[in-house]
């Protein structure tokens, strides 16, 4: 592939960061996916981007499928290719986007793993014997109370919390801000943690959650602490931070049946993303049906 063709990729990554304001994690994923696509184009002896056509993009997806990649991963790679082609369209390099109508082979939809209400209660019922325990309880209560993503929790600043109003301001995907309620248990846990935080945090540190060194707590540290508490509390399955968000959505839907409301709280752009949480509501719906429908009542 010609050098000037490859030069478009760094410009595209800069575009993602500065203009589309995508997270560093998303930009890195796009970079990895495009590296795979470039390797494929080299194998196909593509000399410049204007030679790229629908046939080649479809062949790329087919090759990834043959190599055992999941449908979701192929779709993510195709999304990176489409986004890159849109950039090339804007730059006048392409006249059409050859990736527009290419879809990944349908795969088996994975349902989110959740904890039931009893498991969640057991996980969160532990003594806080030191500052780090107090911090861990506060961050886990907040994850479950407000359905935050791990990245959203990590970047929370003190100014984002309003304990008096019982809300938290969250910067979600696409730099979209939303205000989410905070439950009573989380408010109590956060109040205790903020009093302990003073002894740990550096004078200029704005992060809500900090580590031993007084600086912002990272995502990996949170994952390890959550997994540790799950083992100590005898949950019996591996637990990761995103399970709190899945459990939040599922439990809220079971109680409220307000799909739109849960969509807003989660910060989903499309309600179809939220609908995946309805799969766990079947048992509740069956009980409601049996209790309420005139033709469903069982004979004694």
């Amino acid at each position: 592939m010609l050098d000037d063709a490859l030069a478009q990729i760094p410009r595209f990554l800069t575009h993602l960061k500065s203009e589309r304001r995508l997270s560093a994690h998303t930009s890195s994923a796009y970079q990895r996916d495009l590296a795979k696509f470039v390797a494929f184009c080299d194998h196909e002896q593509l000399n410049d981007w204007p030679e790229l056509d629908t046939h080649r993009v479809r062949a790329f997806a087919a090759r990834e499928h043959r190599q055992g990649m999941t449908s979701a991963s192929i779709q993510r790679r195709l999304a990176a290719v489409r986004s890159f082609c849109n950039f090339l369209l804007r730059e006048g390099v392409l006249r059409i986007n050859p990736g527009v109508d290419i879809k990944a082979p349908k795969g088996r939809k994975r349902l989110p793993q959740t904890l039931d209400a009893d498991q969640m209660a057991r996980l969160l019922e532990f003594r806080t014997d030191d500052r780090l325990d107090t911090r861990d309880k506060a961050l886990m209560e907040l994850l479950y109370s407000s359905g935050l993503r791990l990245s959203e929790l990590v970047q929370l600043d003190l100014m984002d919390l309003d304990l008096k109003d019982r809300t938290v301001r969250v910067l979600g995907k696409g730099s979209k801000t939303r205000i989410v309620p905070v439950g009573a248990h989380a408010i109590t846990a956060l109040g205790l943690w903020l009093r302990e935080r003073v002894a740990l945090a550096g004078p200029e540190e704005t992060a809500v959650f900090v580590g031993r060194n007084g600086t912002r707590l990272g995502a990996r540290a949170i994952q390890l602490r959550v997994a540790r508490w799950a083992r100590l509390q005898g949950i019996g399955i591996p637990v990761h931070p995103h399970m709190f968000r899945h459990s939040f959505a599922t439990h809220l839907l079971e109680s409220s049946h307000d799909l739109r409301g849960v969509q807003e709280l989660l910060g989903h752009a499309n309600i179809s993303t939220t609908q995946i949480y309805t799969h766990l509501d079947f048992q509740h719906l069956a009980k409601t049906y049996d209790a309420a429908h005139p033709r469903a009542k069982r004979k004694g």
Side-chain angles (χ1 to χ4, degrees):
M1 186 174 290
L2 298 177
D3 290 341
D4 57 346
L6 284 174
Q8 297 287 352
I9 293 179
R11 294 177 58 203
F12 169 66
L13 296 173
T14 300
H15 160 73
L16 293 180
K17 181 179 179 181
S18 60
E19 295 184 39
R20 292 184 56 185
R21 300 178 63 85
L22 297 185
S23 69
H25 176 76
T26 302
S27 296
S28 295
Y30 272 44
Q31 186 173 13
R32 290 192 298 271
D33 291 334
L34 285 176
K36 293 288 185 181
F37 184 61
V38 167
F40 170 79
C41 290
D42 278 340
H43 182 267
E44 293 288 301
Q45 298 182 341
L46 185 78
N47 293 315
D48 208 350
W49 294 122
E51 298 177 18
L52 186 62
D53 56 18
T54 300
H55 171 74
R56 282 193 171 97
V57 178
R58 186 177 287 112
F60 171 64
R63 188 195 70 168
E64 299 297 280
H65 181 62
R66 287 195 303 272
Q67 292 181 350
M69 179 159 283
T70 66
S71 177
S73 296
I74 297 172
Q75 191 59 51
R76 190 198 67 227
R77 287 196 173 163
L78 287 173
V81 171
R82 280 192 294 270
S83 184
F84 178 56
C85 288
N86 279 333
F87 172 77
L88 295 180
L89 272 172
R90 194 189 76 166
E91 296 296 301
V93 177
L94 295 180
R95 289 187 295 174
I96 61 169
N97 187 334
V100 167
D101 296 322
I102 311 301
K103 295 182 180 180
K106 287 189 176 180
R108 188 176 176 184
K109 185 174 286 188
R110 293 182 60 189
L111 300 175
Q113 191 175 16
T114 66
L115 298 176
D116 62 35
D118 290 337
Q119 288 175 313
M120 186 62 73
R122 190 190 328 147
L123 175 57
L124 295 174
E125 287 175 0
F126 59 87
R127 288 178 52 183
T128 53
D129 296 324
D130 60 30
R131 290 192 181 104
L132 298 186
D133 291 354
T134 304
R135 178 203 64 193
D136 293 349
K137 188 160 192 173
L139 68 85
M140 287 195 289
E141 287 280 10
L142 184 57
L143 280 172
Y144 178 52
S145 166
S146 304
L148 304 188
R149 299 178 177 94
L150 176 57
S151 60
E152 295 169 348
L153 184 82
V154 168
Q155 62 188 342
L156 275 185
D157 287 330
L158 293 172
M159 62 183 298
D160 297 321
L161 281 179
D162 190 337
L163 298 189
K164 185 177 180 181
D165 194 41
R166 298 192 170 197
T167 58
V168 60
R169 182 178 58 195
V170 179
L171 185 65
K173 289 186 176 180
S175 297
K176 293 180 180 178
T177 302
R178 69 185 189 278
I179 305 294
V180 188
V182 180
H185 289 287
I187 290 291
T188 300
L190 284 165
L192 293 172
W193 159 241
L194 292 178
R195 287 199 287 272
E196 297 288 348
R197 179 189 176 280
V198 176
L200 281 177
E204 303 299 322
E205 183 56 67
T206 61
V208 172
F209 298 107
V210 298
R212 294 178 189 273
N213 60 0
T215 61
R216 189 180 298 272
L217 194 63
R220 183 56 181 159
I222 294 173
Q223 290 170 338
L224 291 173
R225 295 292 287 190
V226 166
R228 171 182 177 270
W229 281 114
R231 290 193 301 271
L232 291 175
Q233 295 299 99
I235 299 304
I237 59 172
V239 176
H240 54 82
H242 213 62
M243 288 175 69
F244 289 78
R245 180 171 165 90
H246 294 325
S247 302
F248 162 85
T250 302
H251 299 168
L252 204 56
L253 273 175
E254 287 175 352
S255 300
S256 70
H257 302 283
D258 184 357
L259 193 62
R260 287 285 182 187
V262 174
Q263 177 194 3
E264 291 294 323
L265 291 172
L266 291 172
H268 286 160
N270 195 317
I271 200 167
S272 63
T273 309
T274 317
Q275 284 174 329
I276 194 170
Y277 294 107
T278 61
H279 77 287
L280 291 178
D281 206 19
F282 291 148
Q283 186 175 6
H284 177 86
L285 290 175
K287 289 179 180 178
T288 301
Y289 179 87
D290 287 342
H293 196 285
R295 295 291 188 183
K297 295 187 183 297
R298 302 176 186 274
K299 295 182 179 180

